[in-house]
Amino acid sequence: MLDYGHFIGGKHVKGASGRAGDVFQPMTGEVRAKVAFASKAEVAAAVENAKAAQPAWAATNPQRRARVMMKFLELANRDYDKLAEVLAREHGKTVADAKGDLQRGLEVVEFSIGIPHLLKGEYTEGAGPGIDLYSMRQALGVVAGITPFNFPAMIPLWKCAPAIACGNAFILKPSERDPGVPMMLAELFMEAGLPAGVLNVVNGDKEAVDAILEHPDIQAVGFVGSTPIAEYIYGKGCSAGKRVQCFGGAKNHMIIMPDADMDQAVDALIGAGYGSAGERCMAVSVAVPVGQKTADILVEKLIPRVESLKIGPSTSADADFGPLVTAAHLKKVKDYVDIGIKEGAKLKVDGRNFKMQGYENGFYMGGCLFDDVTRDMRIYKEEIFGPVLSVVRAKTYEEGLKLANDHEYGNGVAIFTRDGDAARDFAAKVQVGMVGVNVPIPVPLAYYTFGGWKRSGFGDLNQHGPDSVRFYTKTKTVTSRWPSGMKEGAEFVIPTMK
Ligand code: NAD
């Protein structure tokens, strides 16, 4: 059995707290590894290493820092298949989907290679008599990232690549459910020439997270995970004086207008609703057909497609999706289906009793489809995070828009239509951070920013793109004047440009 410790000061270290957890292989249900849970002292050791390494790294010119990113990219591409297989085995998603997880992370590494350009400041010559004014962006120091189970390559890379490229040292606390890939990524960064101590991985649970939030030498914390934890980390981190951004849960709606191409809409719902077993923060979990006729056609087309979804082990080449991450999460998702039935929603496809032949202990379930879900039901209000799609019928476009706007989450949303006016109106009025027009999972590319609104995001700046550089640096503005430009005598009034 594998034994994950921590990665501190450029090398693997064994856990010393005496506390550890199990990492499962969801497709078989077996325990694949033990993962150490860091104590406060182990987090402090990682911070010491990071603090020692950071000044020299920040003083390394940005082109050299970019070259480390380039080399890392080359090595990650060399090990692509190996990384994807470990990811699939620990998470449960298919290998093909694991490759996408890795790829969307590497695209942010590609973005971070532009750091010499991204860090350029501003300069004004002659801002006053003999006065020049300029601004620069400087690294914060030691920063940390706390990441969820569902994208164990992508989100750690979204966090650490821009932070490190900016000249910070980084402490990563990945999910304790699938820490294998984050550990491999840290090794690859070392092989790429990143100095020891610039990237450290501490595994663990709440104790490690609290140690990060309480450590006075950690300047900023980026979090991705569920909303209750996001809110906790945002509050605790901010009150400790840190810069904090937290991205939380989601309930993503897809509005289907009567003029939409229904076959395309169904394809989109099947992929975005059930891909990765619905364990994506940008999964579509609510379909909102506008008008009874649209709803009837949609549900009739969806039923056979949900019934014929191919569920298989993560290593299967032709599975649409694999098992869920743990037995506990599987139970939680099935419980939500029970709740939906009790609440009066119509379960059109029931995947609760699906068993995978030859993998009877794996954490599998089939796709579920609910019709006639209403806004007061728990299955509508709460994030299920499984292969369960709810159809909420809306009479009008305005009602569909209002549903998305009234929901407490505001991560992603989509509209399917051929009507440019409707799409434009929707994009302007919807209270959600990421909007798709005939695109069901509108995850922006690396050079734009990613972030939800309302209770899907806490903090001012988004992830990756230009906001990541703003989040991981602080701006300094210098006003300079040389002796030849200075007048004699003290100035007692505030200088102005009058
Ligand atoms: P989670 O909140 O359970 O865990 C996230 C991280 O927080 C992990 O590293 C975990 O160890 C830590 N953590 C868990 N409980 C804690 C506690 N009590 N105190 C301190 N730290 C704690 O989330 P998850 O189940 O790993 O991930 C799924 C969730 O993440 C879903 O809600 C999903 O929508 C969300 N998510 C959001 C985005 C986004 O960008 N908005 C992206 C991916 C996932």
Side-chain angles (χ1 to χ4, degrees):
M1 192 188 300
L2 293 164
D3 188 7
Y4 297 128
H6 313 292
F7 195 87
I8 298 177
K11 53 183 190 298
H12 288 279
V13 295
K14 277 190 175 310
S17 70
R19 292 194 320 117
D22 290 333
V23 178
F24 291 93
Q25 177 165 275
M27 69 175 176
T28 58
E30 292 161 335
V31 176
R32 173 182 148 87
K34 285 273 167 207
V35 58
F37 286 176
S39 64
K40 198 170 178 170
E42 287 167 300
V43 171
V47 177
E48 277 316 302
N49 274 276
K51 249 176 90 177
Q54 194 268 333
W57 176 243
T60 302
N61 74 54
Q63 270 178 290
R64 287 197 176 173
R65 297 204 300 263
R67 278 183 206 130
V68 172
M69 294 287 152
M70 276 189 243
K71 185 71 189 168
F72 170 82
L73 205 53
E74 187 188 316
L75 298 174
N77 281 310
R78 179 196 71 190
D79 291 356
Y80 208 70
D81 291 344
K82 198 163 76 183
L83 288 159
E85 168 142 1
V86 172
L87 198 160
R89 282 185 186 279
E90 292 188 1
H91 175 283
K93 63 178 77 175
T94 62
V95 172
D97 196 28
K99 286 183 179 169
D101 182 332
L102 192 56
Q103 181 58 29
R104 290 305 290 254
L106 293 180
E107 287 170 11
V108 172
V109 180
E110 289 168 357
F111 169 78
S112 304
I113 290 170
I115 203 66
H117 180 71
L118 292 165
L119 280 181
K120 283 193 301 197
E122 297 156 317
Y123 189 89
T124 305
E125 184 196 7
I131 292 176
D132 302 323
L133 198 58
Y134 60 96
S135 67
M136 56 176 117
R137 291 200 164 274
Q138 293 188 326
L140 301 178
V142 179
V143 299
I146 299 159
T147 57
F149 84 84
N150 69 323
F151 281 100
M154 181 182 89
I155 296 180
L157 288 171
W158 283 9
K159 298 283 172 211
C160 75
I164 290 171
C166 287
N168 298 287
F170 200 84
I171 313 285
L172 172 66
K173 206 304 282 171
S175 171
E176 64 277 37
R177 287 185 258 177
D178 45 14
V181 168
M183 297 292 271
M184 289 165 81
L185 296 175
E187 279 172 22
L188 289 180
F189 267 115
M190 291 303 114
E191 195 183 335
L194 190 72
V198 175
L199 172 61
N200 304 275
V201 183
V202 288
N203 283 308
D205 59 356
K206 180 171 168 36
E207 190 171 327
V209 171
D210 284 340
I212 287 171
L213 296 173
E214 285 160 13
H215 201 297
D217 293 329
I218 294 179
Q219 307 300 326
V221 177
F223 169 87
V224 180
S226 58
T227 288
I229 312 297
E231 205 164 21
Y232 167 74
I233 288 176
Y234 191 69
K236 193 170 163 86
C238 288
S239 61
K242 300 185 194 310
R243 189 178 285 193
V244 190
Q245 57 172 198
C246 293
F247 301 93
K251 198 81 182 176
N252 304 315
H253 295 53
M254 182 170 133
I255 317 293
I256 301 105
M257 297 292 284
D259 67 345
D261 180 315
M262 293 304 277
D263 291 324
Q264 284 179 2
V266 169
D267 281 345
L269 284 169
I270 291 293
Y274 299 95
S276 198
E279 291 172 324
R280 288 181 183 141
C281 68
M282 290 292 275
V284 173
S285 48
V286 181
V288 186
V290 173
Q292 285 305 340
K293 197 170 149 215
T294 315
D296 291 342
I297 297 170
L298 185 80
V299 172
E300 194 182 314
K301 282 178 182 277
L302 275 171
I303 291 172
R305 295 288 300 275
V306 179
E307 283 171 342
S308 59
L309 282 166
K310 281 192 233 134
I311 296 119
S314 316
T315 46
S316 150
D318 65 350
D320 294 326
F321 65 87
L324 278 80
V325 67
T326 57
H329 187 57
L330 176 66
K331 181 178 178 314
K332 183 177 158 193
V333 174
K334 285 185 179 177
D335 286 351
Y336 266 116
V337 180
D338 297 342
I339 291 168
I341 295 166
K342 282 200 198 98
E343 287 177 317
K346 288 194 195 113
L347 186 62
K348 295 286 186 182
V349 184
D350 183 358
R352 283 173 299 173
N353 296 320
F354 175 85
K355 284 271 172 276
M356 187 71 223
Q357 235 186 349
Y359 294 84
E360 282 74 12
N361 295 323
F363 311 138
Y364 299 91
M365 70 179 280
C368 294
L369 177 69
F370 275 115
D371 193 5
D372 288 327
V373 175
T374 54
R375 52 189 300 159
D376 52 309
M377 293 181 184
R378 276 185 65 193
I379 58 162
Y380 173 70
K381 290 194 279 197
E382 298 171 21
E383 183 182 44
I384 299 175
F385 221 55
V388 182
L389 180 66
S390 295
V391 175
V392 180
R393 293 170 176 241
K395 288 194 186 67
T396 59
Y397 159 74
E398 285 75 20
E399 194 185 324
L401 173 66
K402 187 166 163 33
L403 272 171
N405 284 351
D406 288 350
H407 204 283
E408 66 167 321
Y409 293 125
N411 211 40
V413 74
I415 185 167
F416 271 61
T417 183
R418 287 191 171 94
D419 181 342
D421 272 348
R424 190 168 178 275
D425 187 76
F426 185 75
K429 291 184 182 157
V430 74
Q431 298 298 304
V432 174
M434 293 170 282
V435 184
V437 175
N438 298 317
V439 172
I441 306 187
V443 177
L445 290 174
Y447 44 97
Y448 280 79
T449 72
F450 179 109
W453 286 12
K454 297 183 278 184
R455 287 172 59 74
S456 294
F458 301 83
D460 305 322
L461 294 168
N462 280 351
Q463 319 187 73
H464 67 60
D467 271 8
S468 62
V469 178
R470 293 185 193 112
F471 184 74
Y472 289 119
T473 57
K474 50 193 172 192
T475 307
K476 186 180 276 176
T477 313
V478 181
T479 307
S480 74
R481 181 165 64 180
W482 296 98
S484 61
M486 290 169 80
K487 285 190 277 178
E488 275 182 26
E491 290 178 41
F492 292 100
V493 293
I494 186 161
T496 64
M497 287 299 123
K498 201 166 174 193

